[in-house]
Amino acid sequence: MDFFQDLATTFNFILQGLWVTIGVTLVALSVGFVFGVVMAMLRVYGNAFFRALAAAYSVIVRAVPVVVIIFILFFVIARFVNLSPFWAGSLALGFASGAYQSEIFRGAFQSVPPGQMTAARAIGMSRVQAIQSIILPQAVRLALPAWGNEATLVLKDSTLVFVVGVPEILRRAQQVSARTLEPFIAFGLALLLYLALTLLTTQVLQWLERRYRLQM
Amino acid sequence: MKKQILVALLLIVALLALSACTAVQPAGQTGAAAESGKLAQIKAAGRIVVGTSADYPPYESIDADGNFVGFDMDLIRAIGEKLGVEVEIQDMPFDSLIASVQEGKIDAVIAAMQATAERDEQVDFTIPYRMTRDAFAAAPGSGLVIEKPEDAAGKSIGAQTGTVQEGWIQRNLVETGLTPADMVFSYERADQAALDVANGRIQLLLMDAEPAMELAAQTGLEILLITELTAEGGKSIAIPDGATDLKAELDRIIQELLDDGTIQRIQEANGLP
Amino acid sequence: MTTTPILRIDDVYKSFGATQVLKGFSLSIQPQEVVVLVGPSGSGKSTLLRCINLLHPPTSGRIWLEEEEITAPGVNHDRVRQRIGMVFQDFNLFTHLTALGNVMIGLTKVRKMHKKEAHDLAMFELERVGLVDRAGHYPAQLSGGQKQRVAIARALGMDPHIMLFDEPTSALDPELTGEVLEVMQQLAKEGMTMIVVSHEMGFARQVASRVVFMEGGVVVEEGPPQQMFEQPKYERTRAFLRKITDLEGDEK
């Protein structure tokens, strides 16, 4: 009986990290979405300067381990604004994810047939209007499957924000493990939580995919 | 439909960014000029943000209710009381602590940390609040005999990353050629290292004596030798480089707590000799 | 006879890199005229249409639309295109929008109509092409002929003063061309000015006010359909028209 009581205590303790993990993941994905879409647009439709800028962002950020980006951004941002570790960590993770998302959206923008742009211009839309109302909605739908994959990767990368002191699921498991010296139980529970989150994410995205699939 | 989703997403990001900005605290800036006023800043804010790595009982850990407990935690709360400010504890990996205090993300570090020469170049340290000893531990029935630190030569050995013990192993065993570099293992946390010793994956563990004894009691490790080989001045609180007024005040309070027996009392309450 | 032309094309050249496609093309079109443009492939018919609505502005030469020179510097191309409807060979319907959405989006985004107003007008345009019952269908759920009719409704929604048709039936199965041609014929009857690139000679004979034969980037010969089909000035025109008439003759 004692065993189950301990298990429940441990689970409750680790569970508090769940909200942190979810928060970090949602903020990072949203920030990464904005970065990714904007950079992909600049890459596909921008002038030479913006194309180079967006390409450099993508290449450099993807070349560096995410944990290094988090660490650097935390301390760089810290010089200008005093963000809490949660915000600094999440924004940094989003900045990193943005580079991966920009590649996803770039591919999606490029796979929208060129006739869509021509037809949009032909009814008098400006280039910006055409991108906004015709190309972007199609590109987002085309990007959904790959984006779903990125979402689960960001969920797992959310463990990295602990380097700047954000107590997410994995850190809570470490804390329990350090106290009880029962790593199997602590990390086993963490594993179950991550599994549940990943399955949930996958389900939601599959639903979105079905709901918004483009029929060509 | 898709437009609403997009707008909602953008809105969330904007709101989050906004709330983040309003949450900005009065800037704790870096640089010597700002640091000399560190004490005044802390008093003005009414709180001191202290970093630790809460996976190192009995110095610092988190209990089942999520409270920071241990000797260091009790001590820093006693110090906060004397300073007349609230203590806010921030859990971080041990490796991130020095950088965080350097960049002004936290005001001080209390993490069973020793004032080594290397660290002293990055940050300042208070006077030691506790002298330390180190322990060599091995699996029960290992048959190993360690009478002096150098007897560890040639054995696979583990230590916690960034600790003075790890530095000692590098300087005295690896660089002297006594132990091949690939027999030295660096662990993020002490409990991982202890479990690896207990499971026979490495032969020896070198770490602070008191946490080692606590781990030994839980995992059945055998303490082979307790020594003062790495005691470069004991455990101190790290503060930003050049924060002279803060250092003077903390030194005064630590001395007072040593003199009036408070520290002794806190040690005993946490099972430390 | 000499009313003001709705469209005047004067000595237009268009090159893509080293390739010169239009080599001094000139043509005037009167209001309510239906001009059918024929010519061998590569003669510059599609390029001409794209020059007219400035999707590919001419390299040199000038174009007037309703007495405004649209090739002049500083002219807002987007505003010009609102007055010129265009229908493409492969429809180019917006795949993420329903038939209704395809017609509405230009109304709300470009003409800045309110949703209700745009919805009603879009339904009216779908009615004109006989597709009210398909309003909620996505392009993938429509036949080729239906897609092209939605595309026509989309162009009509912008209230164009002239319509350009770029081979509107050549991507369609033969049994589906009729419904599209019918809609076009109805438009002509209502007085729409149209330039139609097409090899539908039946349509040309019945509906066109003029047939223009172009080759090598210039006009070779033009005239009323009857004259063009029965007594063209040039042997080259006769040979070409006979060839395409024979090709489709069996199907009519």
Side-chain angles (χ1 to χ4, degrees), chain B residues 81-127:
Chain B
E81 216 167 284
K82 291 267 180 196
L83 273 174
V85 297
E86 204 182 305
V87 176
E88 185 185 316
I89 292 164
Q90 170 71 54
D91 183 29
M92 286 192 169
F94 193 79
D95 283 345
S96 300
L97 288 169
I98 294 284
S100 293
V101 78
Q102 235 182 332
E103 292 293 336
K105 298 302 297 177
I106 51 180
D107 299 319
V109 172
I110 187 161
M113 190 180 271
Q114 299 199 30
T116 62
E118 283 163 341
R119 288 178 186 148
D120 214 3
E121 284 171 20
Q122 321 283 331
V123 293
D124 279 354
F125 282 99
T126 62
I127 58 169

Side-chain angles (χ1 to χ4, degrees), chain A residues 79 163 165 171 175 179 212, chain B residues 1 62 90-91 96 103:
Chain A
R79 282 167 194 258
V163 296
R171 175 56 178 173
Q175 288 167 347
R179 177 166 52 81
Y212 291 103
Chain B
M1 188 64 190
I62 293 192
Q90 170 71 54
D91 183 29
S96 300
E103 292 293 336

Side-chain angles (χ1 to χ4, degrees), chain C residues 2-73:
Chain C
T2 51
T3 50
T4 318
I6 187 170
L7 183 76
R8 189 149 71 85
I9 303 164
D10 185 24
D11 201 23
V12 161
Y13 285 78
K14 177 66 184 178
S15 308
F16 295 99
T19 321
Q20 204 171 41
V21 182
L22 296 180
K23 301 168 184 169
F25 187 97
S26 297
L27 188 71
S28 280
I29 291 171
Q30 300 297 323
Q32 310 204 340
E33 259 199 300
V34 176
V35 173
V36 171
L37 201 57
V38 297
S41 69
S43 58
K45 304 178 302 275
S46 290
T47 302
L48 178 70
L49 295 190
R50 284 169 164 74
C51 279
I52 293 172
N53 75 354
L54 304 173
L55 282 173
H56 296 313
T59 312
S60 74
R62 306 205 283 177
I63 300 174
W64 285 265
L65 177 66
E66 297 172 320
E67 298 189 75
E68 178 199 1
E69 193 201 330
I70 60 175
T71 44

